[in-house]
Amino acid sequence: MKNTKQWFPYLLVIPAFLVAMLTVAYPIVNGVAQSFEGEDGGFTLSNYVYFFTDRNELANIGFTLVICLVTVVLAVVSAYLLALYLRFTHSWFSRAIGFLYLLPRFVPSMVAVYAMIAVVRDSGFINRLMLLFGINAKPGLMYSANGVVLMNLWFNIPFAAMIIAASLGGVRDSIIESARDVGAGRWTIFRTIILPLTYKDALVASTFVFMTNVGSFTTPYLMGPNAPKLLGVDLFNQFNSYGDYPKAAALSTIMFLLCAASAVVYIYTNMKDSEWEKK
């Protein structure tokens, strides 16, 4: 009877474990294994060599990293400022912004991209509005890196702000008021109190924004340039257009490693904090 009670929790976990293994672990392992398959079915590194020697593929990787890093910096900085405003400003306008900034989280990506295209394309709303004033404005945001970054910000600023705002909510007003009572200015309060208490959550937001954009497909497919391409579009072409499954598997593994690398900083930071708390 005692052994039954001891193993009963593990029996309850087994169904969920099997589902996770079949739907998550097995596809990953199978994809990595397929990435090392040659045309004859044997082991080869040629699929990886291709992506790091072909000029076009190197351009795609570099272009994706630049887009992701620019998006991370602009999105997280903007989200942090927005979260600070919502946390420490109490007015009807800040409450309205606090409600509106969450709306993009509930809009399907395809709908959002097409809505943005209708506004920013050279014959879109901006162009038609400016023509009323005799100005033939052409934003030039379609099929360009600027358009992709703009759309990425539309998606990622609300997400990052939501994470950072939750962190700022844990900063008690009494701490801020005590610092003000001893003469600390806004910059001093931010640098010595707010930032140390919230930087980890900003790092979490940065990690998720980076990982989201490494594999993004809808925005770069509809608004991005034909060359160089983001890796999400390149993966689609390798799999769907060319039918080269080993190369698609290799590119998937490369994208996974890029995402894993972005998480190393966050994991390292948490480990350092845990070591400090133990002392």
Side-chain angles (χ1 to χ4, degrees):
M1 188 69 178
K2 184 178 180 181
N3 291 333
T4 303
K5 291 183 179 180
Q6 182 179 0
W7 287 100
F8 185 70
Y10 297 98
L11 294 176
L12 295 177
V13 172
I14 286 177
F17 174 76
L18 292 176
V19 170
M21 291 297 294
L22 292 174
T23 60
V24 178
Y26 175 74
I28 292 175
V29 173
N30 183 65
V32 173
Q34 192 175 27
S35 69
F36 293 101
E37 290 183 5
E39 295 181 357
D40 58 353
F43 178 85
T44 181
L45 295 174
S46 60
N47 297 318
Y48 290 96
V49 172
Y50 168 76
F51 286 104
F52 291 105
T53 56
D54 184 80
R55 184 177 61 182
N56 294 329
E57 295 300 337
L58 285 174
N60 292 340
I61 294 174
F63 182 65
T64 300
L65 290 176
V66 170
I67 291 293
C68 290
L69 292 175
V70 171
T71 299
V72 167
V73 172
L74 294 179
V76 173
V77 170
S78 301
Y80 205 108
L81 294 175
L82 175 61
L84 285 172
Y85 173 76
L86 296 176
R87 170 63 178 84
F88 296 107
T89 303
H90 306 286
S91 65
W92 68 268
F93 185 74
S94 65
R95 289 192 294 271
I97 295 297
F99 171 76
L100 292 175
Y101 92 94
L102 292 175
L103 289 181
R105 302 301 306 164
F106 302 97
V107 179
S109 58
M110 186 70 73
V111 175
V113 174
Y114 272 116
M116 182 66 75
I117 289 174
V119 174
V120 304
R121 64 183 179 183
D122 290 348
S123 59
F125 174 76
I126 293 177
N127 178 262
R128 295 196 299 272
L129 178 64
M130 298 305 294
L131 285 175
L132 297 177
F133 302 95
I135 302 174
N136 186 19
K138 295 184 181 296
L141 295 174
M142 288 299 299
Y143 314 117
S144 69
N146 292 335
V148 174
V149 170
L150 177 65
M151 197 70 235
N152 287 345
L153 294 178
W154 194 91
F155 285 116
N156 290 290
I157 288 177
F159 173 71
M162 184 170 58
I163 296 176
I164 298 172
S167 175
L168 288 171
V171 180
R172 291 179 295 178
D173 291 333
S174 59
I175 300 176
I176 306 298
E177 293 170 359
S178 299
R180 288 174 178 170
D181 290 341
V182 297
R186 292 183 178 180
W187 171 246
T188 302
I189 292 174
F190 172 76
R191 181 173 53 85
T192 60
I193 298 177
I194 297 175
L195 186 60
L197 292 175
T198 59
Y199 81 94
K200 283 202 302 181
D201 295 272
L203 191 59
V204 172
S206 302
T207 301
F208 281 112
V209 170
F210 182 87
M211 290 190 295
T212 299
N213 288 281
V214 165
S216 63
F217 173 76
T218 305
T219 298
Y221 185 76
L222 296 175
M223 296 184 65
N226 291 324
K229 299 183 289 286
L230 266 75
L231 293 181
V233 179
D234 191 15
L235 177 60
F236 172 80
N237 290 336
Q238 294 291 340
F239 185 85
N240 191 68
S241 302
Y242 310 143
D244 196 334
Y245 303 124
K247 280 189 173 62
L251 182 55
S252 299
T253 304
I254 292 171
M255 294 168 66
F256 169 76
L257 292 175
L258 290 175
C259 293
S262 71
V264 169
V265 177
Y266 166 67
I267 295 173
Y268 177 77
T269 302
N270 277 317
M271 291 176 62
K272 294 295 288 185
D273 288 346
S274 298
E275 292 176 2
W276 181 82
E277 291 173 357
K278 292 178 182 178
K279 294 180 180 180

